[in-house]
Amino acid sequence: MTAAAVPVTAPVVRAMEAGDWDDVRRIYALGIETRNATFETEVPPADALDARWVPGQRWVITTEDEVAGWAAMTPTSARDCYRGVAETSIYIDTALAGGGLGTQLLTHQVDAALGAGFWTLQTSIFPENEASLAIHRKAGFRDVGRRERIAQLDGIWRDTVILELRRR
């Protein structure tokens, strides 16, 4: 049997588990290295991420049983009136980018969040991150604005595009 004939399992999206933290943090580090994914310059510790992210809304996508990406949500406010509004994050291993994993993972994240009662999902993306903008728009997010010179990364002022998806 040639290498091309070896069966490859389809990517699987599943709930993030305790054993995934090393892979999640490794993939986050790859995103940080691009300087087009986040204002973070160091990967936060797992306990800080665990405290920040919405329980039950943390996902990984695996290929061949290896974590290839992750998605999580952060509440936008502690106020009860905003309990259904969250900021989404999605990261794919940079070596696997462009293969549709981000679209599959984001679609799952959106479906799960809306199914859990969230009514607005928002995200903030660097305008240079064209791939992330494209998959969010494909998933139904719409541009609602641009924050110019919102913060500095490596001493350089950066803009972000704000997108949101609202329950129909």
Side-chain angles (χ1 to χ4, degrees), residues 7-15 17 19-20 23-24 26-27 60-69 93 96 101:
V8 177
T9 59
V12 173
V13 178
R14 63 168 173 76
E17 300 170 352
D20 296 327
D23 286 322
V24 166
R26 174 186 58 80
I27 292 166
V60 296
I61 188 164
T62 62
T63 58
E64 301 297 315
D65 295 323
E66 298 292 326
V67 175
D93 185 321
L96 302 172
L101 297 173

Side-chain angles (χ1 to χ4, degrees), residues 44-115:
D47 60 340
L49 295 172
D50 187 47
R52 182 185 311 172
W53 292 342
V54 176
Q57 295 297 316
R58 307 164 186 195
W59 310 102
V60 296
I61 188 164
T62 62
T63 58
E64 301 297 315
D65 295 323
E66 298 292 326
V67 175
W70 60 268
M73 297 187 342
T74 306
T76 58
S77 174
R79 294 176 60 194
D80 188 56
C81 61
Y82 294 114
R83 70 187 172 283
V85 182
E87 183 171 354
T88 64
S89 295
I90 179 171
Y91 285 78
I92 299 296
D93 185 321
T94 53
L96 302 172
L101 297 173
T103 297
Q104 184 177 344
L105 182 57
L106 182 59
T107 298
H108 182 90
Q109 181 184 42
V110 166
D111 290 346
L114 295 178

